[in-house]
Amino acid sequence: MKKFLIPAVLVAAALSCQAPQPQEPEPMKPQKIIVYQVFTRLFGNTNTTNKPWGTKEENGVGKFNDFTDTALEEIKKLGVSHIWYTGVPHHGVIGDFPEIGVSSDDPDIIKGRAGSPYAVRDYYQVNPDLAVDVTKRMEEFEALIARTHKHAMKVIIDIVPNHVSRHYVGKNNPAGVRDFGADDDKTVEYSKNNNFYYIPGQDFVVPAAKNGYKPLGGEKHPLADGRFEEKPAKWTGNGSRLAQPDFYDWYETVKINYGLSPDGKKDFDELPAGADSLDWKAHYDFWQGKDVPDSWKKFKDITQFWLGKGVDGFRFDMAEMVPVEFWSYLNSHIKKTNPEAFLLAEVYNPNLYRDYIHKGKMDYLYDKVELYDTLKHIMQGHGSTDNLVQILEGLKDIEHHMLHFLENHDEQRIASPEFAGNPWKAMPAMVVSATVSTSPTMIYFGQEVGEPGAEDAGFGDPSRTSIFDYIGVPQHQKWMNGGKFDGGQLTENEKALRNYYAEVLNFTRNNSALMGEYMELHSFNRSQNPAYTNKAFAFARWDENQKLIVVTNFDEFKSVKTTLKLSPELLKEWNLGPGEREIKEVMFGKKKTMLRVTDEGAEIDLDFGPWESAVFEVR
């Protein structure tokens, strides 16, 4: 892997932080949530072959059992409270499993060899690839749930309501549960209680390949014949109404019908006026006795099944493509079963955020198109921290609900040359992302050790760790160290990077001010002090027990040597009297500086290196 130039001050600070020992923080509510997203079939894979389009025999595949007690404890030491096990439900995959009577999916409608986790084939079972003994695959996942709980972390899995695999086969339905489409009237395009939309009179046609694409990289396979039988054709997952979808459509999936007709008519009750101000209990009561579309009931039953297995919450894929009334129905039923369930949704349209939170009863949404995209631009050296002010102000009424991240399975790896090229460039953004609001923080496995996602796995391009093929994750494998999970193969810089993440995340978990109030100091300093540039960002966080000043320097080359001025509004809020006092850095605990308060105002001396951040406590 490329050697990175890293500011010595960052390495020294990170190496001085011993990985936090597992201990329960003092009782404190509310507390920051930290989500660790892990691609389940990749996590425990120690195979380093990484052949493009390689089979699981060639490239290896991780298992549920690879999440050992040691592995889970090391994840917890990062400060993690919730693990999102991505890719658990049984999705389309190339290969037969004769022990359980499961035949291979068709390569013509599968992306990659291992298949997309978002083309679910059977919602009442788990991916057989993840089991040591496929005949006991559910038992192995149940054991993982129990192990995760034993280490005081909660379990999240994916639910993908907008679409299912083109080859959905519910072989494990509980008694009384009918399969998707089993009772559909296929002679019509749409009917309220059909699970799918149809194209009567037309058969499905496999998309015409582009850019030289061949299923399985051109390998011969008995099913790779350019055909897949679907009579009549169904709408494709992204909404394409063509019997032959485009190559760039989500052709491996079919769209679920939620009682929304092709012309947009709603065949279900709309929420009453003022529903956005009602709690989930009132929403639950509203839906009792209502005639809802069949697909609503099917997904209610699916989520109830997984809650019964001990799953603590769900990440909902492409939630904005499903009517908000359905989410009100589904989420209120989930909360009825488990009021503490964690509900995270992928919504990319900021105009819909408040509807999906207040009407749809989502706990959290991705803060992707505003905070993430802006931080990425800044990390790449193009953007200005001035843009953060307006974004944070615009979201302040829903800030708690906007989950923050710098990586996930859909986004480029920070360390990839296509993103930042150096994982240390993310450190100021990580501090801001984790400390600027009361919302959850999420990291993606391998992020904490600088994984660049450079492999050519088969389907898709490098810079994102493949979710479609069997592959090893090299930097993560160095941390795994053959199953010891001790970082034994990491360099000192890579260990320092992981320590930095652990320090930041544990700090956010255990400091009450970060669940309190926020005030930005950036605008005041930009107007008052030319030496404070648009590569710095500063703000205050506080509650009745703690007062913090957070300062970051996004500049790759220049230090920040100036003063930070506290605004009159903050001085009034904190009731700071005149005088001079020493304040100390409380995240890494290395810096000390002076806070001077006079009748004219207040200021703090700053001396920051490139990419450096600090959190000062004012007592």
Side-chain angles (χ1 to χ4, degrees):
M1 183 182 173
K2 177 182 175 182
K3 292 184 178 179
F4 299 115
L5 294 176
I6 304 163
V9 65
L10 289 185
V11 176
L15 286 176
S16 69
C17 304
Q18 297 299 314
Q21 293 303 306
Q23 58 182 14
E24 289 301 311
E26 293 182 10
M28 179 182 68
K29 289 187 178 182
Q31 188 178 33
K32 268 277 202 177
I33 289 173
I34 307 297
V35 179
Y36 186 79
Q37 184 196 0
V38 58
F39 206 83
T40 313
R41 74 162 170 254
L42 302 184
F43 178 85
N45 183 18
T46 57
N47 187 308
T48 60
T49 304
N50 285 359
K51 173 185 173 182
W53 296 99
T55 65
K56 59 190 170 189
E57 290 76 21
E58 293 169 321
N59 283 359
V61 62
K63 307 290 184 181
F64 292 131
N65 289 356
D66 294 327
F67 292 88
T68 63
D69 285 309
T70 299
L72 290 168
E73 197 57 36
E74 291 303 315
I75 291 172
K76 184 184 176 186
K77 286 180 184 178
L78 283 171
V80 171
S81 59
H82 294 61
I83 302 183
W84 166 16
Y85 291 107
T86 305
V88 167
H90 185 182
H91 57 75
V93 60
I94 303 301
D96 296 317
F97 297 89
E99 311 95 315
I100 53 175
V102 171
S103 59
S104 176
D105 282 88
D106 189 324
D108 293 305
I109 56 156
I110 290 291
K111 292 179 178 176
R113 185 184 293 274
S116 167
Y118 298 104
V120 175
R121 172 174 166 170
D122 186 346
Y123 259 117
Y124 289 101
Q125 254 301 351
V126 299
N127 179 5
D129 269 343
L130 302 177
V132 174
D133 180 349
V134 295
T135 67
K136 293 183 170 60
R137 59 202 185 281
M138 184 63 80
E139 291 91 332
E140 290 186 23
F141 180 56
E142 290 170 343
L144 175 56
I145 294 172
R147 281 198 305 281
T148 307
H149 289 164
K150 184 176 74 173
H151 291 274
M153 292 180 289
K154 295 185 182 296
V155 172
I156 303 166
I157 67 167
D158 293 280
I159 298 291
V160 191
N162 179 63
H163 49 270
V164 295
S165 167
R166 195 146 229 134
H167 183 208
Y168 192 95
V169 183
K171 297 175 70 71
N172 300 278
N173 295 347
V177 172
R178 298 282 289 167
D179 213 357
F180 282 101
D183 302 311
D184 282 6
D185 178 358
K186 300 179 182 180
T187 67
V188 296
E189 181 179 29
Y190 165 81
S191 178
K192 171 181 175 177
N193 286 311
N194 275 2
N195 298 135
F196 303 123
Y197 297 93
Y198 294 92
I199 310 172
Q202 297 186 57
D203 297 344
F204 172 76
V205 180
V206 171
K210 296 181 179 179
N211 303 319
Y213 172 79
K214 295 179 180 180
L216 304 182
E219 175 188 314
K220 289 186 178 180
H221 189 281
L223 297 177
D225 57 3
R227 294 177 295 173
F228 178 77
E229 185 172 309
E230 184 179 284
K231 298 175 179 288
K234 303 180 183 78
W235 287 16
T236 295
N238 62 319
S240 171
R241 306 183 187 189
L242 301 175
Q244 183 180 28
D246 187 80
F247 180 72
Y248 294 112
D249 287 329
W250 304 347
Y251 62 81
E252 76 277 27
T253 67
V254 289
K255 186 167 179 62
I256 296 289
N257 165 29
Y258 283 91
L260 194 65
S261 72
D263 61 2
K265 177 178 175 289
K266 294 181 177 180
D267 274 333
F268 47 80
D269 289 272
E270 295 196 51
L271 292 167
D276 54 349
S277 63
L278 300 176
D279 64 14
W280 67 259
K281 295 177 184 177
H283 280 245
Y284 177 84
D285 290 340
F286 172 78
W287 291 111
Q288 299 314 296
K290 297 288 193 300
D291 180 23
V292 300
D294 184 72
S295 296
W296 294 30
K297 300 171 190 175
K298 279 186 164 55
F299 274 97
K300 173 182 67 82
D301 291 343
I302 288 165
T303 52
Q304 292 295 317
F305 172 83
W306 289 108
L307 291 171
K309 294 290 183 185
V311 167
D312 302 292
F314 305 103
R315 181 269 190 186
F316 297 122
D317 186 77
M318 295 308 295
E320 68 193 83
M321 298 182 76
V322 178
V324 73
E325 291 87 352
F326 162 75
W327 293 115
S328 164
Y329 170 86
L330 182 72
N331 290 338
S332 62
H333 279 80
I334 291 171
K335 292 289 189 180
K336 178 70 172 177
T337 301
N338 178 6
E340 301 301 316
F342 178 99
L343 305 177
L344 168 64
E346 183 183 26
V347 175
Y348 293 138
N349 183 349
N351 293 326
L352 296 177
Y353 286 170
R354 287 158 185 83
D355 276 354
Y356 279 77
I357 293 167
H358 300 310
K359 294 181 180 179
K361 295 305 163 192
M362 294 296 182
D363 293 323
Y364 307 106
L365 309 179
Y366 278 19
D367 197 346
K368 194 275 182 194
V369 300
E370 295 187 313
L371 186 65
Y372 166 83
D373 284 350
T374 302
L375 286 173
K376 180 176 182 178
H377 202 52
I378 296 169
M379 281 188 273
Q380 291 176 319
H382 313 304
S384 165
T385 53
D386 294 346
N387 297 324
L388 294 172
V389 175
Q390 184 177 358
I391 288 170
L392 295 166
E393 176 66 21
L395 294 172
K396 68 179 181 180
D397 63 311
I398 55 171
E399 59 84 24
H400 178 69
H401 301 280
M402 303 306 297
L403 175 134
H404 295 172
F405 63 89
L406 298 180
E407 283 191 0
N408 65 44
H409 68 278
D410 285 322
E411 306 300 338
Q412 292 176 319
R413 292 287 195 174
I414 296 162
S416 70
E418 293 84 354
F419 186 156
N422 186 334
W424 288 92
K425 285 187 178 181
M427 292 307 96
M430 189 64 216
V431 171
V432 170
S433 177
T435 64
V436 78
S437 80
T438 68
S439 66
T441 303
M442 183 174 79
I443 66 168
Y444 187 39
F445 87 115
Q447 175 182 343
E448 72 276 24
V449 290
E451 172 58 41
E455 294 69 44
D456 176 10
F459 190 91
D461 299 318
S463 79
R464 295 170 177 84
T465 296
S466 175
I467 67 169
F468 303 106
D469 286 287
Y470 301 109
I471 202 74
V473 184
Q475 287 295 103
H476 171 72
Q477 289 175 326
K478 290 166 70 175
W479 172 75
M480 277 202 306
N481 193 22
K484 295 179 182 178
F485 302 101
D486 61 0
Q489 298 177 36
L490 296 174
T491 66
E492 289 303 299
N493 281 340
E494 291 158 356
K495 290 177 183 177
L497 183 69
R498 193 172 192 275
N499 283 350
Y500 197 107
Y501 274 99
E503 183 74 8
V504 171
L505 295 175
N506 277 280
F507 179 82
T508 65
R509 283 280 288 161
N510 296 306
N511 284 268
S512 64
L514 299 178
M515 294 303 290
E517 302 299 319
Y518 161 84
M519 184 180 293
E520 61 99 355
L521 301 173
H522 182 80
S523 301
F524 185 69
N525 281 273
R526 288 283 281 147
S527 66
Q528 299 287 319
N529 183 1
Y532 177 95
T533 73
N534 68 347
K535 296 298 182 183
F537 195 69
F539 52 91
R541 300 298 312 278
W542 73 94
D543 66 1
E544 60 184 10
N545 298 314
Q546 190 178 42
K547 298 180 179 68
L548 301 177
I549 300 288
V550 182
V551 189
T552 58
N553 177 19
F554 284 85
D555 201 297
E556 181 177 356
F557 305 106
K558 296 179 182 178
S559 296
V560 175
K561 293 185 178 180
T562 184
T563 58
L564 179 77
K565 299 181 183 297
L566 305 190
S567 64
E569 294 83 1
L570 184 63
L571 289 179
K572 181 180 179 181
E573 189 72 46
W574 282 8
N575 194 28
L576 291 179
E580 186 174 76
R581 68 193 82 182
E582 183 180 72
I583 58 174
K584 297 180 180 180
E585 210 277 328
V586 289
M587 188 161 64
F588 295 107
K590 294 298 177 185
K591 284 186 175 293
K592 298 178 182 178
T593 190
M594 301 304 297
L595 168 61
R596 294 179 297 276
V597 182
T598 67
D599 292 339
E600 285 74 37
E603 60 185 23
I604 298 171
D605 293 324
L606 298 182
D607 187 355
F608 274 44
W611 298 339
E612 194 174 0
S613 304
V615 180
F616 297 104
E617 184 167 18
V618 177
R619 295 182 181 273

